[in-house]
Amino acid sequence: MNTGKFELQLLGCSAALPAFNRLPSAQVLNIHEKLFLIDCGEGTQFQLKKYGIRKSRIDHIFISHLHGDHVFGLPGLITSYNLMDRKEDLNIYAPQGIEEMITQILSFSSGELHYKICFHNITDFQGKIIFEDEHVKVKSLPLNHKIPTSGFLFEEKLARRKLNLQAINELGISKEYWKQIEEGFDISLSDHSKISNSQLVLDQQKTRKYAYCSDTRYELSLIPYLKNISLLYHETTYLDELSLKAQDNGHSTAIQAAKIALAANVKTLLTGHYSSRYEKLDPILKECQSIFENTILGTEGLIIKVDS
Amino acid sequence: MNTGKFELQLLGCSAALPAFNRLPSAQVLNIHEKLFLIDCGEGTQFQLKKYGIRKSRIDHIFISHLHGDHVFGLPGLITSYNLMDRKEDLNIYAPQGIEEMITQILSFSSGELHYKICFHNITDFQGKIIFEDEHVKVKSLPLNHKIPTSGFLFEEKLARRKLNLQAINELGISKEYWKQIEEGFDISLSDHSKISNSQLVLDQQKTRKYAYCSDTRYELSLIPYLKNISLLYHETTYLDELSLKAQDNGHSTAIQAAKIALAANVKTLLTGHYSSRYEKLDPILKECQSIFENTILGTEGLIIKVDS
């Protein structure tokens, strides 16, 4: 059992033209009580408020690409932080151009910020580590859209191994070795005997992983990155009857998202980024489930606990 | 009785930091079924949807100034129009800088627009006519804020005068004069006798006028422009205990707004642009009414029919 929190909340599940009370792309991921904002469409600051998420807890924002429905909430959020007298650095991870875009907008409107924005340009979209702390690594993913676009893979780090004290005592292993064992090493005793790490620790936790894939065409090269992960958000902008339109516009159909989920053997598929032509979303869910049974229909406000 | 519609709906009544479900500044004014959008804070396109206002009906947007809480909804609205395949020109009236700001944002995000945006720079804030059609003139107003800021005075034009046919027949005035009479002229008959226009038309309609004054310090030079108007929206960011802060930040208190309304002898005062420090707004209303009784507390969604 993993103990730290690993929980996703959806703030916006609409494609570019908002409709039917759906808002543009934004999600909040809580990993061990650190909040990561993923994309920031117009209205994100209102959605954070609506769902009781304190925006001051967010220090890291991941932007997949510079289309308006993924970034037009940033200027307002940044300005609100300034009015709230934020002092902490704000980190923004995004494909090239975000710094220029934000700097120019703010130059017209907000005067000088009282806090620092650290822009982290994503230039390598092939699984490059773009953020890391004690609990999680975040890697880029090679999405296939009309402009440079990165997905994000949030990989929980394995917790420090838990000692199997019964085995350790039975084997008479002294305390000086315990740190090595916790760190995952096999140990060599003074009599040159070797004992494998797996004999000395309790059953390992399984790593929880969440991948965010929006916006993207049907892209088979994503599959190796998504192998066996716990939760995959993959855009489902259209139903399959519009697969040509999807290809033209740099998007995927529900069937295509489900095929990726199946091929990657993920645990759960989560849908989103719905075209404004669909008022009811059941057909999207049905199409996915015809290929990949364990699909959840993403809707604004939905909370999903990510299991291992 | 005026017959054409002259109706205001409030979309956002918050100051810069949105709070308590209040949204940043935006209003829609319907004059004879033409819709004018006044300011466009973040979320304006969602508010239009919420209140059943078809955004495609808007061809004229008036922006008071370039602070984010008055413009950050524009990029999303402009992009949505593009996705909806808008063909009609969109007119944006604003102080200098708006074209550069919007052009730069869109260059990162939205590709080429399928329709034209006509930017109309406001450079003269002293009652200059910035828009005119058959029903209305819109004039700039000299607001006093931290950056160049224009208020807007919407003045209904007098309808064509209605002939008093009984008087005309009694005086034996022939049809060739009727057009002159409708246009407001006195007439000289062939026998050189003069008859004043007022004898020949029915009672005149009174002009309806609406003024939008946000954001502004307490500014006495506004009063002549606002004399005897039907409805005045004047920002009430703070209660009077914060009058120094208001002065520093380029805003007004409730008392100050009411003093302007009283001095200008307007019919009705409408409040708005509330600081995030106030959850309950009753004290704002009370302060206004202590000076100017006929005050309406502005709230999101409120519709006000503008009387003459």
Side-chain angles (χ1 to χ4, degrees):
Chain A
M1 261 288 290
N2 301 56
T3 50
K5 210 176 211 178
F6 198 125
E7 195 175 279
L8 181 72
Q9 185 160 23
L10 305 182
L11 306 180
C13 296
S14 173
L17 182 59
F20 310 116
N21 294 319
R22 298 193 293 255
L23 276 90
S25 293
Q27 307 187 348
V28 172
L29 185 63
N30 180 330
I31 300 180
H32 293 259
E33 297 306 334
K34 183 178 273 190
L35 300 190
F36 300 91
L37 181 62
I38 307 170
D39 278 339
C40 188
E42 181 177 357
T44 295
Q45 62 171 327
F46 310 137
Q47 293 292 86
L48 289 168
K49 188 84 183 177
K50 178 172 178 181
Y51 297 117
I53 301 164
R54 278 178 39 225
K55 54 179 170 288
S56 60
R57 289 183 60 196
I58 296 170
D59 297 328
H60 301 277
I61 302 178
F62 293 82
I63 300 290
S64 61
H65 65 301
L66 301 196
H67 279 162
D69 57 320
H70 297 252
V71 294
F72 281 167
L74 263 184
L77 184 61
I78 288 169
T79 306
S80 289
Y81 280 140
N82 207 37
L83 292 163
M84 291 162 69
D85 241 357
R86 180 184 179 111
K87 296 283 176 250
E88 300 74 27
D89 291 356
L90 180 67
N91 295 280
I92 300 180
Y93 309 82
Q96 207 126 20
I98 192 81
E99 179 166 8
E100 205 183 339
M101 182 185 195
I102 293 298
T103 306
Q104 287 180 352
I105 297 172
L106 296 181
S107 73
F108 287 102
S109 63
S110 300
E112 204 161 334
L113 295 183
H114 312 309
Y115 66 98
K116 190 175 164 195
I117 303 182
C118 306
F119 291 98
H120 306 266
N121 279 335
I122 303 172
T123 50
D124 176 347
F125 301 88
Q126 310 290 330
K128 168 102 174 170
I129 294 176
I130 50 182
F131 171 82
E132 186 168 7
D133 70 4
E134 61 177 315
H135 295 300
V136 66
K137 281 182 198 172
V138 186
K139 294 176 178 171
S140 64
L141 291 174
L143 302 190
N144 175 353
H145 193 41
K146 290 175 143 185
I147 60 173
T149 303
S150 178
F152 302 109
L153 176 63
F154 293 81
E155 286 188 5
E156 188 180 33
K157 287 184 180 175
L158 284 180
R160 185 172 274 248
R161 287 159 171 76
K162 286 202 165 48
L163 298 177
N164 182 343
L165 289 175
Q166 194 183 343
I168 285 171
N169 287 330
E170 281 172 13
L171 289 162
I173 295 170
S174 69
K175 274 200 171 176
E176 65 187 294
Y177 293 101
W178 288 17
K179 190 153 178 274
Q180 285 176 57
I181 299 169
E182 285 174 328
E183 287 169 355
F185 294 101
D186 298 335
I187 61 165
S188 307
L189 300 176
S190 50
D191 65 358
H192 304 294
S193 63
K194 285 202 174 186
I195 305 178
S196 82
N197 186 269
S198 62
Q199 283 182 269
L200 304 171
V201 296
L202 297 172
D203 278 349
Q204 270 306 288
Q205 300 168 13
K206 245 190 99 184
T207 303
R208 294 175 287 187
K209 295 184 184 177
Y210 168 61
Y212 176 83
C213 294
S214 183
D215 297 355
T216 188
R217 293 188 182 88
Y218 181 54
E219 178 54 58
L220 295 175
S221 75
L222 282 169
I223 294 167
Y225 298 100
L226 308 177
K227 274 284 178 199
N228 307 316
I229 67 170
S230 328
L231 179 65
L232 166 63
Y233 174 85
H234 192 294
E235 67 137 285
T236 53
T237 303
Y238 300 112
L239 288 172
D240 207 53
E241 62 197 16
L242 292 179
S243 59
L244 287 178
K245 196 177 184 66
Q247 179 65 20
D248 278 357
N249 291 353
H251 292 299
S252 299
T253 69
I255 289 281
Q256 290 170 336
K259 281 182 176 170
I260 298 287
L262 186 70
N265 189 36
V266 309
K267 189 167 176 190
T268 305
L269 169 65
L270 175 63
T271 65
H273 201 269
Y274 310 115
S275 163
S276 62
R277 75 194 61 222
Y278 304 121
E279 178 168 7
K280 295 199 189 311
L281 301 174
D282 293 350
I284 300 244
L285 181 61
K286 258 194 192 155
E287 264 200 16
C288 286
Q289 288 181 330
S290 72
I291 303 275
F292 189 81
E293 176 61 29
N294 195 18
T295 304
I296 297 174
L297 191 74
T299 51
E300 277 72 8
L302 185 70
I303 295 176
I304 299 166
K305 284 186 202 307
V306 181
D307 294 327
S308 53
Chain B
M1 258 288 290
N2 300 56
T3 49
K5 211 174 209 181
F6 199 124
E7 195 176 277
L8 180 72
Q9 184 159 23
L10 305 182
L11 305 180
C13 296
S14 173
L17 182 60
F20 310 117
N21 294 321
R22 298 192 294 256
L23 275 91
S25 291
Q27 307 186 349
V28 172
L29 186 63
N30 179 331
I31 300 181
H32 294 258
E33 297 306 333
K34 184 178 271 188
L35 301 190
F36 300 91
L37 181 62
I38 308 170
D39 277 340
C40 188
E42 181 178 356
T44 294
Q45 61 172 330
F46 310 137
Q47 293 293 85
L48 289 168
K49 188 85 184 175
K50 178 173 177 179
Y51 296 117
I53 302 164
R54 278 179 36 225
K55 55 180 170 289
S56 59
R57 290 183 59 195
I58 297 170
D59 297 327
H60 301 277
I61 302 178
F62 294 82
I63 300 291
S64 62
H65 64 301
L66 301 194
H67 279 161
D69 56 321
H70 297 252
V71 293
F72 282 166
L74 263 184
L77 185 60
I78 288 169
T79 307
S80 290
Y81 279 140
N82 208 37
L83 293 164
M84 291 162 68
D85 240 358
R86 181 185 178 111
K87 296 284 175 247
E88 300 75 27
D89 291 358
L90 180 69
N91 294 280
I92 300 180
Y93 309 81
Q96 207 126 22
I98 191 82
E99 179 168 5
E100 205 184 338
M101 183 186 195
I102 294 298
T103 306
Q104 287 180 353
I105 296 172
L106 296 182
S107 73
F108 287 104
S109 62
S110 297
E112 204 161 333
L113 296 183
H114 313 308
Y115 65 99
K116 191 175 164 196
I117 303 182
C118 305
F119 292 97
H120 306 265
N121 278 335
I122 304 172
T123 51
D124 176 346
F125 301 88
Q126 310 291 328
K128 167 101 174 173
I129 295 176
I130 49 180
F131 172 84
E132 186 168 7
D133 69 5
E134 59 176 317
H135 294 300
V136 67
K137 280 183 198 170
V138 186
K139 294 177 178 170
S140 64
L141 292 174
L143 303 189
N144 175 352
H145 193 43
K146 291 176 143 183
I147 61 173
T149 303
S150 178
F152 301 109
L153 177 62
F154 292 81
E155 286 188 6
E156 189 179 32
K157 287 184 178 174
L158 283 180
R160 184 174 275 251
R161 286 156 171 79
K162 285 201 168 49
L163 299 176
N164 182 342
L165 289 174
Q166 194 181 342
I168 285 171
N169 287 332
E170 282 171 11
L171 291 163
I173 296 170
S174 69
K175 273 202 172 175
E176 65 188 292
Y177 293 102
W178 289 16
K179 188 150 182 275
Q180 286 177 56
I181 300 169
E182 284 174 329
E183 287 170 353
F185 293 102
D186 298 336
I187 61 166
S188 307
L189 299 178
S190 49
D191 64 358
H192 304 295
S193 64
K194 285 204 174 186
I195 306 178
S196 82
N197 187 269
S198 62
Q199 284 182 267
L200 304 171
V201 297
L202 298 171
D203 279 350
Q204 268 308 288
Q205 300 169 11
K206 246 189 100 185
T207 304
R208 295 174 287 186
K209 295 184 186 177
Y210 169 61
Y212 176 85
C213 295
S214 184
D215 299 357
T216 186
R217 293 189 181 85
Y218 181 53
E219 178 54 55
L220 295 174
S221 76
L222 283 169
I223 294 167
Y225 298 99
L226 307 177
K227 272 285 178 198
N228 306 317
I229 67 169
S230 326
L231 179 65
L232 167 64
Y233 174 85
H234 192 295
E235 68 136 284
T236 53
T237 305
Y238 301 111
L239 288 172
D240 208 54
E241 64 196 15
L242 292 180
S243 60
L244 287 177
K245 193 175 187 68
Q247 180 65 22
D248 279 356
N249 292 352
H251 292 297
S252 298
T253 69
I255 289 280
Q256 290 170 336
K259 282 182 176 171
I260 297 286
L262 185 70
N265 190 38
V266 308
K267 190 167 174 190
T268 305
L269 169 64
L270 175 63
T271 64
H273 201 268
Y274 311 115
S275 162
S276 63
R277 76 195 59 221
Y278 304 121
E279 179 168 4
K280 293 195 190 312
L281 301 174
D282 293 351
I284 301 248
L285 181 62
K286 258 194 191 155
E287 263 200 16
C288 285
Q289 289 181 328
S290 72
I291 303 275
F292 188 82
E293 178 62 27
N294 194 18
T295 304
I296 297 175
L297 191 74
T299 51
E300 277 72 8
L302 185 69
I303 294 175
I304 300 167
K305 284 186 203 307
V306 181
D307 293 325
S308 51

